């Protein structure tokens, strides 16, 4: 069986390495992607959403959407040998609360399209 769930980056050393050695891409004003090619041979991702992003409910929703997005990305047969950290930037009070799932997916699609060109 093929592995349809992406690896999650959990160690702070991996996040720091991405920050120091990785490239950056801003698909939207509220999302920053730190990324670099990895030797693991599969997609790994992490999510950074500070308290300034919103309540715990909102932050968890963003993380859930991200996991779901990458799961369906892999199920669709796409592959990417990269470590990616999605950083949700602090925005106005209820920005993320009002963010639609379609807008979120569109931003990630745009971001990953650019990533593929630069890896």
């Amino acid at each position: 069986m093929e592995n349809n769930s992406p690896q999650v980056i959990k160690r702070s050393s991996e996040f720091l390495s991405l920050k120091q050695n990785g490239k950056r891409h801003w698909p939207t004003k509220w999302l920053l992607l730190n990324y670099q090619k990895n030797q693991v041979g599969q997609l790994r991702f992490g999510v950074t959403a500070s308290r300034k992003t919103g309540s715990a409910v909102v932050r968890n929703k963003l993380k859930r959407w991200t996991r779901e997005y990458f799961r369906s990305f892999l199920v669709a047969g796409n592959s990417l040998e990269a470590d990616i950290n999605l950083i949700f930037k602090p925005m106005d009070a209820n920005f993320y609360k009002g963010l639609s799932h379609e807008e979120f997916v569109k931003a990630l699609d745009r971001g990953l399209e650019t990533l593929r060109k630069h890896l």
Side-chain angles (χ1 to χ4, degrees):
M1 187 179 117
E2 195 175 309
N3 188 3
N4 280 336
S5 58
Q7 294 272 314
V8 178
I9 299 172
K10 291 182 179 156
R11 302 177 66 178
S12 68
S13 60
E14 293 173 320
F15 281 104
L16 279 173
S17 164
L18 262 177
K19 185 177 180 179
Q20 291 164 352
N21 309 322
K23 297 175 183 164
R24 296 172 155 214
H25 175 60
W26 294 87
T28 65
K29 66 181 186 297
W30 49 268
L31 179 66
L32 168 64
L33 301 178
N34 271 358
Y35 65 96
Q36 68 184 12
K37 194 162 179 55
N38 68 24
Q39 268 56 59
V40 183
Q42 73 177 54
L43 175 67
R44 299 187 328 151
F45 76 95
V47 177
T48 304
S50 76
R51 285 190 183 165
K52 294 177 184 169
T53 307
S55 67
V57 172
V58 170
R59 295 193 307 271
N60 287 331
K61 175 179 78 171
L62 292 172
K63 291 179 208 169
R64 195 171 55 248
W65 282 358
T66 303
R67 283 193 307 271
E68 179 224 322
Y69 177 86
F70 282 118
R71 207 173 291 126
S72 61
F73 178 79
L74 292 177
V75 167
N78 298 311
S79 68
L80 201 58
E81 293 181 11
D83 290 346
I84 304 171
N85 183 19
L86 287 82
I87 302 168
F88 293 97
K89 290 303 188 187
M91 297 295 285
D92 295 335
N94 289 320
F95 175 79
Y96 288 106
K97 202 181 268 187
L99 182 68
S100 72
H101 188 256
E102 291 75 35
E103 197 178 338
F104 175 84
V105 168
K106 216 185 304 181
L108 275 181
D109 283 344
R110 198 165 46 236
L112 289 187
E113 198 55 49
T114 308
L115 275 155
R116 285 178 171 219
K117 293 175 189 163
H118 294 284
L119 280 175

